[in-house]
Amino acid sequence: MRYMIIVRATPDSEAGVMPQESLLGAMATYHEALAKAGVLLDANGLHPSSKGWRVQYDQGQRKIVDGPFADTKELIAGYTMIQVRSREEAMQWALRFPEPFPGQPCAVEVRQVFELDEFGPSEGVERYRRIPGNGQ
């Protein structure tokens, strides 16, 4: 089972404020523990939405909309991908996640990643399995 631990953005992360050394150290310790346990797949922080864009779809048309995006509670500041044996194990790792923005209200969200087997057999699923690097 794969899970993504999503770090929600704050006004500071959207302003490009870099984490303090103490947080970087705590995050390194946490991710070292994940790696030692053999459950770490990937982890990174994200630049503010002012450096990003969205592709909006409307009636078959695509449009690029440049950031920044106003509502920080809908934005992501970083993520950690883990692969564990159970939902409970994912919860235990999530509870150990360092407080991302000490002194500020913040949240991490944990979401299970779909596995191809959950979709049932189909040609599209089989094509996806053959793609190198698809994470399955």
Side-chain angles (χ1 to χ4, degrees):
M1 302 172 106
R2 292 177 298 155
Y3 286 86
M4 179 179 272
I5 302 170
I6 302 163
V7 179
R8 291 291 178 185
T10 66
D12 278 355
S13 68
E14 277 297 291
V17 175
M18 297 302 281
Q20 293 184 1
E21 180 60 31
S22 59
L23 177 58
L24 291 173
M27 294 299 286
T29 299
Y30 175 72
H31 288 94
E32 286 168 347
L34 290 170
K36 185 176 180 182
V39 300
L40 179 64
L41 297 176
D42 190 21
N44 275 297
L46 302 174
H47 281 273
S49 68
S50 61
K51 294 185 176 186
W53 62 90
R54 292 178 177 166
V55 178
Q56 293 198 318
Y57 301 86
D58 186 13
Q59 299 180 354
Q61 300 296 311
R62 291 177 178 92
K63 178 178 151 185
I64 298 285
V65 178
D66 288 321
F69 304 112
D71 196 356
T72 57
K73 69 181 178 207
E74 294 181 3
L75 299 175
I76 297 170
Y79 67 93
T80 298
M81 287 281 294
I82 60 174
Q83 186 166 17
V84 294
R85 292 177 294 281
S86 68
R87 182 176 194 267
E88 292 73 25
E89 185 180 358
M91 284 182 185
Q92 290 305 309
W93 281 111
L95 284 170
R96 292 176 59 184
F97 199 92
E99 184 178 352
F101 303 102
Q104 297 180 46
C106 59
V108 290
E109 178 179 334
V110 181
R111 304 275 301 275
Q112 186 174 357
V113 176
F114 273 107
E115 303 297 338
L116 287 178
D117 293 340
E118 295 179 75
F119 292 100
S122 77
E123 177 56 30
V125 168
E126 293 311 310
R127 285 180 58 202
Y128 198 85
R129 283 187 206 283
R130 293 189 295 266
I131 298 171
N134 73 3
Q136 295 282 325

